[in-house]
Amino acid sequence: QVQLVESGGGLVQPRGSLRLSCTASGSIFSINAMAWYRQAPGKQRELVATITKGGSANYADSVKARFTISRDNAKNTVYLQMNSLKPEDTAVYYCNAHIASPVGVYPYWGQGTQVTVSS
């Protein structure tokens, strides 16, 4: 059974920083693309950033130059460094990973971690 567990959310003031982590565990053969999504109240879930197994990253326009996605393949972990946070970044953040396991290759989701940007 594969699980993704996120950590690092919380309350931060505008212009502050937070670092989210997401670690995959279980019967894992390999992890392909990993990503962070977010969902604000009353809005659809949106893609924030993606990273390939080789480390190539892409970002939503709204977070470019402020957020950085990275991964440690040895630890099955993806990170999201968030700087210069704005109130509009407030959302539940979810990690996503395409994982090869004994049952096949499927996308998995974490449980979500709340990020609140407020003074």
Side-chain angles (χ1 to χ4, degrees), residues 22-106:
C22 172
T23 298
S25 62
S27 299
I28 296 171
F29 292 158
S30 65
I31 303 177
N32 301 318
M34 305 183 83
W36 287 96
Y37 288 74
R38 67 186 182 187
Q39 187 166 19
K43 295 188 177 181
Q44 290 189 335
R45 190 173 297 190
E46 64 173 355
L47 179 63
V48 175
T50 63
I51 187 166
T52 66
K53 190 172 185 178
S56 296
N58 283 286
Y59 301 90
D61 288 343
S62 59
V63 306
K64 278 181 182 176
R66 298 190 299 122
F67 291 10
T68 302
I69 189 171
S70 60
R71 62 190 286 173
D72 185 332
N73 292 331
K75 295 181 179 179
N76 290 339
T77 298
V78 62
Y79 306 97
L80 186 68
Q81 177 66 43
M82 304 184 293
N83 299 328
S84 301
L85 282 161
K86 305 175 182 180
E88 51 263 43
D89 294 318
T90 295
V92 178
Y93 284 71
Y94 298 89
C95 70
N96 169 272
H98 283 73
I99 297 176
S101 72
V103 298
V105 181
Y106 294 100

Side-chain angles (χ1 to χ4, degrees), residues 11-15 86-87 90 116-119:
L11 174 63
V12 63
Q13 292 187 340
R15 296 178 297 281
K86 305 175 182 180
T90 295
T116 302
V117 184
S118 175
S119 55

